[in-house]
Amino acid sequence: MPDKPSRRDGRRRDQLRALRITPGWQPSAEGSALIEMGHTVVLCAASVEEQAPAWRRGRGAGWVTAEYDMLPRATASRRARDREAGRIASRSQEIQRLIGRSLRAATDLPALGERTVHLDCDVLQADGGTRTAAITGAYVALRQALAGLVNDGKIGRIPLRCAVAAVSVGLRDGSLLLDLDYAEDAAADADFNIVLTDAGDVVEIQATAEGAPFGRERVGEALALAARGMEPLFAAQRAARR
Amino acid sequence: MPDKPSRRDGRRRDQLRALRITPGWQPSAEGSALIEMGHTVVLCAASVEEQAPAWRRGRGAGWVTAEYDMLPRATASRRARDREAGRIASRSQEIQRLIGRSLRAATDLPALGERTVHLDCDVLQADGGTRTAAITGAYVALRQALAGLVNDGKIGRIPLRCAVAAVSVGLRDGSLLLDLDYAEDAAADADFNIVLTDAGDVVEIQATAEGAPFGRERVGEALALAARGMEPLFAAQRAARR
Amino acid sequence: MPDKPSRRDGRRRDQLRALRITPGWQPSAEGSALIEMGHTVVLCAASVEEQAPAWRRGRGAGWVTAEYDMLPRATASRRARDREAGRIASRSQEIQRLIGRSLRAATDLPALGERTVHLDCDVLQADGGTRTAAITGAYVALRQALAGLVNDGKIGRIPLRCAVAAVSVGLRDGSLLLDLDYAEDAAADADFNIVLTDAGDVVEIQATAEGAPFGRERVGEALALAARGMEPLFAAQRAARR
Amino acid sequence: MPDKPSRRDGRRRDQLRALRITPGWQPSAEGSALIEMGHTVVLCAASVEEQAPAWRRGRGAGWVTAEYDMLPRATASRRARDREAGRIASRSQEIQRLIGRSLRAATDLPALGERTVHLDCDVLQADGGTRTAAITGAYVALRQALAGLVNDGKIGRIPLRCAVAAVSVGLRDGSLLLDLDYAEDAAADADFNIVLTDAGDVVEIQATAEGAPFGRERVGEALALAARGMEPLFAAQRAARR
Amino acid sequence: MPDKPSRRDGRRRDQLRALRITPGWQPSAEGSALIEMGHTVVLCAASVEEQAPAWRRGRGAGWVTAEYDMLPRATASRRARDREAGRIASRSQEIQRLIGRSLRAATDLPALGERTVHLDCDVLQADGGTRTAAITGAYVALRQALAGLVNDGKIGRIPLRCAVAAVSVGLRDGSLLLDLDYAEDAAADADFNIVLTDAGDVVEIQATAEGAPFGRERVGEALALAARGMEPLFAAQRAARR
Amino acid sequence: MPDKPSRRDGRRRDQLRALRITPGWQPSAEGSALIEMGHTVVLCAASVEEQAPAWRRGRGAGWVTAEYDMLPRATASRRARDREAGRIASRSQEIQRLIGRSLRAATDLPALGERTVHLDCDVLQADGGTRTAAITGAYVALRQALAGLVNDGKIGRIPLRCAVAAVSVGLRDGSLLLDLDYAEDAAADADFNIVLTDAGDVVEIQATAEGAPFGRERVGEALALAARGMEPLFAAQRAARR
């Protein structure tokens, strides 16, 4: 993979967009973080409920769940609110299930105890990669909320087994690009969403051929690119702990 | 009304909370403003659609409509999203109808032409006075969007007849207080929401006895307090024009 | 305000339409009243439930709540039922919240005990002023239901602190008119809905500029007109007690 | 069938309850009738729309459709409105389909022309037999609306082929009873709803064993009882024409 | 009734279509049956829940309830799923209420004990007579599930009082035809759905004039035709017991 | 990967379950197939609509879309129908989006012309792998429907670029297993759903760590296992063409 700039915004193929994580942005929540990746901005909040969901009670373990939504004018043209249709958009459903699974994979649910953590990920501005930004930001909000439980003496240690973060990779004209913005995503031949731990292990990978099906070897290459490219995300998550 | 501090946060009875309006906060929209009044934060976006609503077409006039919602964790405890219930909360319905009426009162609808402006007011943090902050902020977003139409040569002048802003007034232990925060609002005996023009005329007034009914003369006093107290709001709206 | 007739139907500016209240119209209910104001006809029923709403239990106090709806052919053209859309019309939501607040303001909720009174206000014919007629009629149904609780020995006295009634006032061509019918309402420059106690105190006031914003002094004038004009409503409520 | 009184309210087995039909009760509608059968009261309105339903257009024929609902406090205990659940109660669905089919059977749809008549049947008080009262009353409202079309010169004659009316029959302890009230209905072993023309022909019959299945010969007996017992219904429909 | 073939498919007027019942088709259910009548195919499943419905608890008796639905492409043109509209089609509501009533009539609910049996009737292919096929097949599924309860020692005997089956009868050009297929049903002047016990008693009869109202004597004739024609249905139900 | 049997049902790690595809099972549809993989049974139907979806019109290209649902008693315990909740289960949403994307990847949409093919995948019995079976079966139904368009002379050739099929792979105790049944799936540490073309290229891959995150090299191994194991699926698809 060459190092020379090759993208509309001057980034190298393996370069993330400008990243900023502001922890505690929504002070009414037990945990929160505003994550900005380029022009994508997601507000993540963690709310702790002192009981497990009804269907999990009595097992001595907790649960982590997520909701994902977008403000109507986060996008270039206005999008109607889900409440108008009386149902959650299927794309949002799919994304929030992914966020929930990803963060549960990082959490030691028995150590959390019979509690539920609700992760609300609301996209304030959308320029591609909102689901991966939401995962990276939700981890910060989750950790802040869990640290609060430790501070309050409710649990003895932060019940996390690893950090998780996520990034997109795209395939275009035979090349793999890290962290697509909206215009790049719309033009990609294939789209990968990759969720890894800070040890480089796989939490989730979803790859879809948008145009022609692609060779199986591409999957391993995309994983390697993501693993290398996500280092700054884990560093920013650590910096947000203070 | 005495000038000595008499409120939990040290404000005088006729004093607004700290105010900041950031125009253009959501750059994907034709107009936008983030309004902060104390700990209340509302993001207002204006979207221009190049046609009137179906039921208004062919009259040569435009329309202004509003939607109001709150992020789940804008409040001290988490509130479920409307989409879960499949219906808009009745409180939100009532508020967004008020916002829409208020901004239409300021707009020269025939001069707008057959267009619809959608005003999205999303509460990011709630500490009382979200509906009045939304009206004040929505005016800034609306003006920015209309100025854009003038810049694009679509209309010859900004089709606004006046500025509108809003504030709450509360009655407590016989005294009227300007711009209640959440704790003050919860303890008030009566609650006024007042929408005025920058000429001091009435766009809308809603007054409700939360406890005992109150004397009719209170209504005039509350209007006078609001008219005086709203000066900084109109000044901040003007400053946001740049 | 001159006394000479100045309205399409020959009424003076400060004159109510023909009024009739028939208590006990719906005998299956604990309380009921059919109220007719001109061609507006609303059936009000009060149902007593022997527990407080779930969110109020254990406080030793009761609750009063209202629902408002309209038969499809109460109006000049047929209007689809809310159940078709699967959601309550936002106008109805707003009105039923107003009715509930108004009647709660009259009720001594602790003296009611842990009970809920449901007030159903169904418009059988609509010619303007349905929300104010509903409030005036609902008071009669509520009082009848509460008197029944006394008769049954469940409570010692009727837990009402005052009577409440409501009327609309309109501003047209600079003049204020009492109790608008539909045609007058459609032509008004501003519209006031005023809920008062029989002592003349304010329970709720809502004023909206339909056309141009109006001077603040108009609010006090409208209140005075309503206070004077509502005497026959309180008299009819008293006559309905028998 | 003996003539001596045998029922709680002193009626003979083949005797209808007290019947009153008030045509034109809801003057805003093209046709309307309030029908009272004992303590059952149903308001029927007919609304004419000057086009056929979308799925019937271009066939040169009209359509008749019905909706059925009940006020929340028409019954001894309060029943939640359908709009709360966001769906029409299945019992109401079934009844309104029956009303629609019954009135279409009486109507000459091609002679009606490409129009839709909406029949709204709203139960104000319910004491058994609401669906059959609705059919009998809806016929009066329909005829009034159709006569209006003739008066307006839109059609040359009233496009009805016959009158239709309906009544219930119940089987109890081996005897058949005409026109059940609520208490009789709840105690019946089988329940018949019978819709006939004024010529005595069958439009619809529904018979259900509530308890044990019953002999086939009962069906013919119930039809004969209904045919004889419905004479006063057709007479009242004719009297309501004036 | 002549014996010579008189129908498009060569059947005699009193002849059923080719019938096959395959019990146990859906092995995950406590009881199931695939019923084929000509080209109509319905899959019926019985599920036993070890409690009565909430509104029936504490009476020492059970309940039987049914749901009816159709695969989108069971019919000649594709039909949208009910979940798209968010409500059950009114036709399906009506049919599933009929199925539930019919099977409850056959069941000794006190002997069933505080259990609920859910009968799911899903039409895989539709060629007329789906509701009657569903009743006939649901009986087989129900009996299999109840026999399972006996085998498991939960109840001492199968709590059924009789067998029930159903068939349609149509009136066309003055003749009555047994077991209509879709084309015959569409052309019929009147349509009967008849549910009988194996002793020939009536569980339910519904008769509707699709065209002109018909003579009352037709009802008895249709019942007699159905009673004679349903023998093979009861025989197939018995054969399915093995 | 050893060849000796290592699974509860005696299968080798790389062995599919018993497979049967019955094309044309639902004759009312343009294309259909019943696919059985072990105890999983899915009925797939293809319906051709002679226009593109509204949002795609005028581009000269077609569309392929899918719906996925499950009969209530396809599973060991009964599951409520989506229509009860008035919304599509989020799991079904996610699966039907996957099916639609997968089949579109195989289709030459411009060559299809402005048509929509609806693929209905209804699970009659569920024992794991329902989404992958649905993709494999939907391809057969789609091809049959497209061949019908060629037969009818509407298009010149079958607009498919390749065949697609799908299979699951699971990771358990460090080993990868092909085509999990329900019990294996519930016990797996990670779950892969892999959609490939008959040329071995990737259409979609989704991999989720259900327990601990797993090494990145596993993804390539799972792809290789799927590619090898899917040969019989493509063979069965070809055999179903006849």
Side-chain angles (χ1 to χ4, degrees):
Chain A
M1 190 157 299
D3 266 335
K4 70 170 165 63
S6 60
R7 301 165 78 170
R8 216 177 36 141
D9 61 359
R11 279 190 287 153
R12 293 189 316 276
R13 286 181 185 155
D14 60 353
Q15 192 180 351
L16 295 176
R17 289 177 287 177
L19 167 71
R20 184 164 56 169
I21 297 178
T22 308
W25 199 88
Q26 200 175 38
S28 43
E30 282 84 50
S32 70
L34 188 81
I35 180 166
E36 300 168 74
M37 289 193 71
H39 298 302
T40 287
V41 182
V42 185
L43 177 54
C44 305
S47 301
V48 179
E49 187 185 348
E50 284 291 328
Q51 60 181 356
W55 57 276
R56 292 267 299 179
R57 291 197 190 134
R59 303 194 198 177
W63 193 247
V64 175
T65 183
E67 295 191 9
Y68 168 96
D69 203 358
M70 210 179 260
L71 291 195
R73 203 49 203 280
T75 42
S77 60
R78 187 176 184 276
R79 174 185 156 276
R81 294 170 197 266
D82 282 0
R83 66 181 191 188
E84 289 302 306
R87 50 172 68 173
I88 307 178
S90 56
R91 177 183 171 276
S92 296
Q93 293 256 30
E94 197 168 314
I95 292 175
Q96 68 190 20
R97 284 161 58 90
L98 168 64
I99 300 171
R101 283 195 307 269
S102 297
L103 275 297
R104 281 194 297 277
T107 308
D108 181 344
L109 295 172
L112 171 58
E114 291 225 348
R115 294 181 176 85
T116 306
V117 183
H118 299 268
L119 299 169
D120 284 293
C121 301
D122 285 88
V123 178
L124 305 186
Q125 290 187 70
D127 185 31
T130 61
R131 80 187 69 188
T132 49
I135 290 169
T136 305
Y139 174 79
V140 175
L142 172 63
R143 195 181 191 287
Q144 188 182 39
L146 296 177
L149 289 175
V150 174
N151 281 350
D152 294 351
K154 292 184 174 169
I155 48 178
R157 61 170 183 83
I158 295 180
L160 290 171
R161 298 188 296 210
C162 56
V164 296
V167 78
S168 72
V169 170
L171 176 68
R172 176 142 189 218
D173 300 334
S175 293
L176 292 166
L177 304 175
L178 188 73
D179 187 23
L180 307 181
D181 66 19
Y182 180 77
E184 289 175 330
D185 184 67
D189 299 315
D191 187 41
F192 297 73
N193 286 295
I194 295 172
V195 189
L196 299 181
T197 70
D198 50 355
D201 286 329
V202 179
V203 170
E204 180 121 0
I205 169 170
Q206 296 187 344
T208 303
E210 304 288 345
F214 55 88
R216 296 202 300 273
E217 71 286 1
R218 290 311 203 167
V219 179
E221 295 168 16
L223 269 169
L225 175 59
R228 209 164 60 238
M230 280 163 70
E231 284 307 327
L233 298 178
F234 290 113
Q237 287 180 336
R238 281 187 299 267
R241 289 189 195 176
R242 277 147 317 165
Chain B
M1 188 156 300
D3 267 334
K4 70 169 165 61
S6 62
R7 300 166 78 170
R8 217 177 37 139
D9 61 359
R11 279 190 288 154
R12 294 188 318 275
R13 285 180 184 155
D14 61 351
Q15 191 179 351
L16 294 176
R17 290 177 287 178
L19 167 69
R20 185 164 55 170
I21 297 179
T22 309
W25 201 87
Q26 200 174 37
S28 43
E30 281 85 51
S32 70
L34 189 82
I35 180 166
E36 300 169 74
M37 290 194 72
H39 297 304
T40 287
V41 182
V42 185
L43 177 54
C44 305
S47 302
V48 179
E49 188 185 347
E50 284 291 329
Q51 59 181 357
W55 57 275
R56 293 264 300 177
R57 290 194 193 140
R59 303 194 198 178
W63 193 247
V64 174
T65 183
E67 296 192 6
Y68 169 96
D69 203 358
M70 210 179 259
L71 292 195
R73 203 49 203 279
T75 42
S77 60
R78 188 177 183 274
R79 172 184 158 278
R81 295 170 197 267
D82 282 359
R83 68 182 191 186
E84 289 301 307
R87 49 171 71 171
I88 307 179
S90 56
R91 178 183 170 276
S92 296
Q93 293 255 30
E94 198 169 314
I95 293 175
Q96 69 190 21
R97 282 161 59 91
L98 168 64
I99 300 171
R101 283 194 307 268
S102 297
L103 276 297
R104 280 195 296 278
T107 307
D108 182 343
L109 295 172
L112 172 58
E114 292 226 347
R115 294 181 175 84
T116 306
V117 183
H118 299 268
L119 298 169
D120 285 292
C121 300
D122 285 89
V123 179
L124 306 187
Q125 290 187 71
D127 186 31
T130 60
R131 81 187 69 188
T132 50
I135 290 169
T136 306
Y139 174 79
V140 176
L142 172 62
R143 196 183 190 286
Q144 188 181 40
L146 297 176
L149 289 175
V150 174
N151 281 349
D152 295 352
K154 293 185 174 168
I155 49 180
R157 61 171 183 84
I158 294 180
L160 289 170
R161 299 190 293 211
C162 55
V164 295
V167 78
S168 71
V169 170
L171 177 67
R172 175 140 191 218
D173 300 335
S175 293
L176 292 167
L177 305 176
L178 187 74
D179 187 22
L180 307 180
D181 65 19
Y182 180 79
E184 289 176 328
D185 184 68
D189 298 315
D191 187 40
F192 297 72
N193 286 296
I194 296 172
V195 189
L196 300 181
T197 69
D198 49 355
D201 286 329
V202 178
V203 171
E204 179 121 3
I205 168 169
Q206 296 186 344
T208 303
E210 303 287 346
F214 54 89
R216 295 203 299 273
E217 71 286 1
R218 290 310 205 170
V219 178
E221 296 168 16
L223 270 169
L225 174 59
R228 209 164 58 238
M230 280 162 70
E231 285 307 330
L233 297 178
F234 291 113
Q237 288 180 337
R238 281 189 297 268
R241 289 188 198 175
R242 278 156 318 165
Chain C
M1 190 155 301
D3 267 334
K4 69 167 166 66
S6 60
R7 302 166 77 171
R8 216 177 35 142
D9 60 359
R11 279 190 287 153
R12 295 189 316 275
R13 285 181 186 156
D14 60 352
Q15 191 180 352
L16 295 176
R17 290 176 286 176
L19 166 71
R20 183 164 57 169
I21 297 178
T22 310
W25 200 88
Q26 201 175 36
S28 43
E30 281 85 50
S32 71
L34 188 81
I35 179 166
E36 300 167 74
M37 289 193 71
H39 298 304
T40 287
V41 182
V42 185
L43 176 54
C44 305
S47 301
V48 179
E49 187 185 348
E50 284 290 329
Q51 59 181 356
W55 57 274
R56 293 263 301 178
R57 289 194 192 139
R59 303 193 198 177
W63 193 245
V64 175
T65 183
E67 295 191 7
Y68 169 96
D69 204 359
M70 209 179 259
L71 292 195
R73 203 49 203 280
T75 43
S77 60
R78 187 177 184 273
R79 174 186 157 276
R81 294 169 197 266
D82 282 359
R83 67 182 190 187
E84 289 302 305
R87 48 172 69 173
I88 307 179
S90 55
R91 177 182 172 277
S92 296
Q93 293 256 29
E94 199 169 313
I95 292 175
Q96 67 190 22
R97 283 160 58 89
L98 168 64
I99 300 170
R101 283 194 307 270
S102 298
L103 276 297
R104 281 193 296 278
T107 308
D108 182 343
L109 296 172
L112 172 57
E114 291 224 348
R115 292 180 177 84
T116 306
V117 183
H118 299 268
L119 299 170
D120 285 292
C121 300
D122 285 88
V123 179
L124 305 187
Q125 290 188 69
D127 186 31
T130 61
R131 80 187 69 188
T132 50
I135 290 169
T136 305
Y139 174 79
V140 175
L142 172 63
R143 195 181 191 286
Q144 187 181 40
L146 297 177
L149 290 174
V150 174
N151 281 349
D152 295 351
K154 293 185 173 168
I155 49 178
R157 61 171 183 82
I158 294 179
L160 289 171
R161 298 188 296 209
C162 55
V164 296
V167 79
S168 71
V169 170
L171 177 68
R172 175 139 192 219
D173 300 334
S175 293
L176 292 166
L177 305 176
L178 188 74
D179 187 22
L180 307 180
D181 65 19
Y182 180 78
E184 289 175 328
D185 184 67
D189 299 315
D191 187 41
F192 298 72
N193 285 296
I194 295 172
V195 189
L196 300 181
T197 69
D198 50 355
D201 287 328
V202 178
V203 170
E204 180 121 2
I205 167 170
Q206 297 186 346
T208 303
E210 304 288 345
F214 55 89
R216 295 203 298 273
E217 72 286 1
R218 289 310 203 170
V219 179
E221 295 167 15
L223 270 169
L225 174 59
R228 209 165 59 237
M230 281 162 70
E231 285 308 327
L233 299 178
F234 291 113
Q237 287 180 337
R238 280 188 299 268
R241 289 189 195 175
R242 270 150 320 160
Chain D
M1 191 158 299
D3 266 334
K4 71 171 164 59
S6 62
R7 301 166 78 170
R8 217 177 36 141
D9 61 358
R11 278 191 288 154
R12 295 188 317 274
R13 285 182 185 156
D14 61 352
Q15 190 180 352
L16 293 177
R17 290 177 286 177
L19 166 70
R20 185 163 56 170
I21 296 179
T22 310
W25 201 86
Q26 201 175 37
S28 42
E30 280 84 52
S32 70
L34 189 81
I35 179 167
E36 300 168 74
M37 290 193 72
H39 298 302
T40 287
V41 182
V42 185
L43 177 53
C44 305
S47 302
V48 179
E49 188 185 347
E50 283 290 330
Q51 60 182 356
W55 57 275
R56 292 265 300 177
R57 291 197 190 136
R59 303 194 199 177
W63 193 245
V64 175
T65 182
E67 296 193 6
Y68 169 96
D69 203 359
M70 210 179 259
L71 292 194
R73 203 50 202 279
T75 42
S77 60
R78 188 179 183 273
R79 173 184 158 278
R81 292 170 199 267
D82 282 359
R83 67 182 191 187
E84 289 300 307
R87 49 172 70 171
I88 307 177
S90 57
R91 177 183 172 278
S92 295
Q93 293 257 29
E94 198 168 313
I95 292 175
Q96 68 191 22
R97 284 161 58 90
L98 168 65
I99 300 171
R101 282 195 306 270
S102 297
L103 276 298
R104 280 194 296 278
T107 308
D108 181 343
L109 296 172
L112 172 57
E114 291 227 346
R115 294 180 175 86
T116 306
V117 184
H118 299 267
L119 298 170
D120 284 292
C121 300
D122 285 88
V123 179
L124 305 187
Q125 290 187 70
D127 185 33
T130 61
R131 82 186 68 188
T132 49
I135 289 169
T136 305
Y139 174 79
V140 175
L142 172 63
R143 195 181 191 287
Q144 187 181 40
L146 296 177
L149 289 175
V150 174
N151 281 348
D152 295 351
K154 293 186 174 168
I155 48 180
R157 61 171 182 84
I158 295 180
L160 290 169
R161 300 188 294 211
C162 55
V164 296
V167 78
S168 71
V169 171
L171 176 68
R172 176 143 190 215
D173 300 336
S175 293
L176 291 167
L177 304 175
L178 187 74
D179 187 23
L180 306 180
D181 65 20
Y182 180 78
E184 289 175 328
D185 184 67
D189 299 315
D191 188 39
F192 297 73
N193 286 296
I194 296 172
V195 189
L196 300 181
T197 69
D198 50 355
D201 286 329
V202 179
V203 170
E204 179 121 2
I205 169 169
Q206 297 186 343
T208 304
E210 304 287 346
F214 55 88
R216 296 201 299 272
E217 71 285 1
R218 290 309 203 170
V219 178
E221 294 168 16
L223 270 168
L225 173 59
R228 209 164 58 237
M230 281 162 70
E231 284 308 328
L233 299 177
F234 291 113
Q237 288 180 337
R238 280 189 298 268
R241 289 189 196 176
R242 275 153 317 164
Chain E
M1 188 154 303
D3 266 333
K4 70 170 163 66
S6 61
R7 302 166 77 171
R8 215 179 36 143
D9 60 359
R11 279 191 288 153
R12 294 187 318 274
R13 286 182 185 153
D14 61 352
Q15 190 180 352
L16 295 176
R17 290 177 286 177
L19 166 71
R20 183 163 57 168
I21 297 179
T22 310
W25 200 88
Q26 200 175 37
S28 43
E30 281 84 50
S32 70
L34 188 82
I35 178 166
E36 300 168 75
M37 289 193 72
H39 298 303
T40 287
V41 182
V42 186
L43 176 53
C44 306
S47 302
V48 179
E49 188 185 347
E50 283 291 328
Q51 58 182 357
W55 57 274
R56 292 265 300 179
R57 290 197 191 136
R59 302 194 199 177
W63 193 247
V64 175
T65 184
E67 295 191 7
Y68 169 95
D69 203 358
M70 210 179 260
L71 292 195
R73 203 50 203 280
T75 42
S77 60
R78 187 177 184 273
R79 173 185 158 276
R81 294 170 195 265
D82 282 0
R83 66 182 191 187
E84 289 302 306
R87 49 173 67 172
I88 307 179
S90 56
R91 178 182 170 276
S92 295
Q93 293 256 30
E94 198 169 313
I95 292 175
Q96 68 190 22
R97 283 160 59 89
L98 168 64
I99 300 171
R101 282 195 308 270
S102 297
L103 277 297
R104 281 195 296 278
T107 308
D108 182 343
L109 295 172
L112 172 58
E114 290 225 348
R115 293 181 177 84
T116 306
V117 183
H118 299 268
L119 298 170
D120 285 292
C121 301
D122 285 89
V123 178
L124 306 187
Q125 290 187 71
D127 186 33
T130 61
R131 79 186 69 187
T132 49
I135 290 169
T136 306
Y139 175 79
V140 175
L142 171 62
R143 195 181 192 287
Q144 187 182 41
L146 296 176
L149 290 173
V150 174
N151 281 349
D152 295 351
K154 293 184 173 169
I155 48 178
R157 62 172 182 81
I158 294 179
L160 289 171
R161 299 188 295 210
C162 55
V164 295
V167 78
S168 70
V169 170
L171 176 68
R172 177 142 191 218
D173 300 334
S175 293
L176 292 166
L177 305 176
L178 188 74
D179 186 22
L180 307 180
D181 66 20
Y182 180 78
E184 289 175 329
D185 184 68
D189 299 315
D191 187 41
F192 298 73
N193 286 295
I194 296 172
V195 188
L196 299 181
T197 68
D198 49 355
D201 286 328
V202 178
V203 170
E204 179 121 0
I205 168 169
Q206 296 186 345
T208 304
E210 304 287 346
F214 55 89
R216 295 203 299 275
E217 72 285 2
R218 289 311 202 169
V219 178
E221 295 168 15
L223 270 168
L225 174 59
R228 210 165 58 238
M230 281 163 70
E231 285 307 329
L233 298 177
F234 291 113
Q237 288 180 336
R238 280 189 299 268
R241 291 189 195 175
R242 276 157 317 169
Chain F
M1 189 157 298
D3 266 334
K4 71 171 164 61
S6 61
R7 301 166 78 170
R8 215 178 36 140
D9 61 358
R11 277 190 289 155
R12 293 188 320 272
R13 285 180 185 156
D14 60 352
Q15 191 180 353
L16 295 176
R17 290 178 286 178
L19 166 71
R20 185 164 55 170
I21 297 178
T22 310
W25 199 88
Q26 199 174 37
S28 43
E30 281 84 52
S32 71
L34 188 81
I35 179 166
E36 300 168 74
M37 291 194 70
H39 298 303
T40 287
V41 182
V42 185
L43 176 54
C44 305
S47 301
V48 179
E49 188 185 348
E50 283 291 328
Q51 60 181 356
W55 57 275
R56 293 265 299 178
R57 292 196 190 137
R59 303 193 198 177
W63 193 246
V64 175
T65 182
E67 295 192 7
Y68 169 97
D69 203 358
M70 210 179 258
L71 292 195
R73 203 48 203 279
T75 42
S77 60
R78 188 177 182 275
R79 173 185 157 277
R81 294 169 198 266
D82 282 359
R83 67 182 192 187
E84 289 301 307
R87 49 172 69 171
I88 307 178
S90 56
R91 177 182 171 276
S92 295
Q93 293 256 30
E94 199 169 313
I95 292 175
Q96 69 190 22
R97 284 161 58 90
L98 168 65
I99 301 171
R101 283 195 306 269
S102 296
L103 277 297
R104 281 194 296 278
T107 308
D108 182 343
L109 296 172
L112 173 58
E114 291 226 347
R115 293 181 175 86
T116 306
V117 183
H118 298 268
L119 298 169
D120 285 292
C121 301
D122 285 88
V123 178
L124 305 187
Q125 290 188 72
D127 186 31
T130 61
R131 81 186 69 188
T132 48
I135 291 169
T136 305
Y139 174 79
V140 175
L142 172 62
R143 195 181 191 285
Q144 187 182 39
L146 297 176
L149 289 174
V150 174
N151 281 350
D152 294 351
K154 293 185 174 168
I155 49 178
R157 61 171 182 83
I158 295 181
L160 289 170
R161 299 189 295 211
C162 55
V164 295
V167 79
S168 71
V169 170
L171 177 67
R172 177 145 188 214
D173 300 335
S175 292
L176 292 167
L177 304 176
L178 188 74
D179 187 22
L180 307 180
D181 66 20
Y182 180 78
E184 289 175 329
D185 185 67
D189 299 315
D191 187 40
F192 297 73
N193 286 295
I194 296 171
V195 189
L196 300 181
T197 69
D198 50 356
D201 287 328
V202 178
V203 170
E204 179 122 1
I205 168 169
Q206 297 186 345
T208 304
E210 303 288 346
F214 55 87
R216 296 202 298 273
E217 71 285 2
R218 289 311 204 169
V219 178
E221 296 167 16
L223 270 169
L225 174 59
R228 208 165 58 238
M230 280 162 71
E231 285 307 330
L233 298 177
F234 291 112
Q237 288 180 336
R238 280 188 298 268
R241 288 188 197 177
R242 274 152 315 166

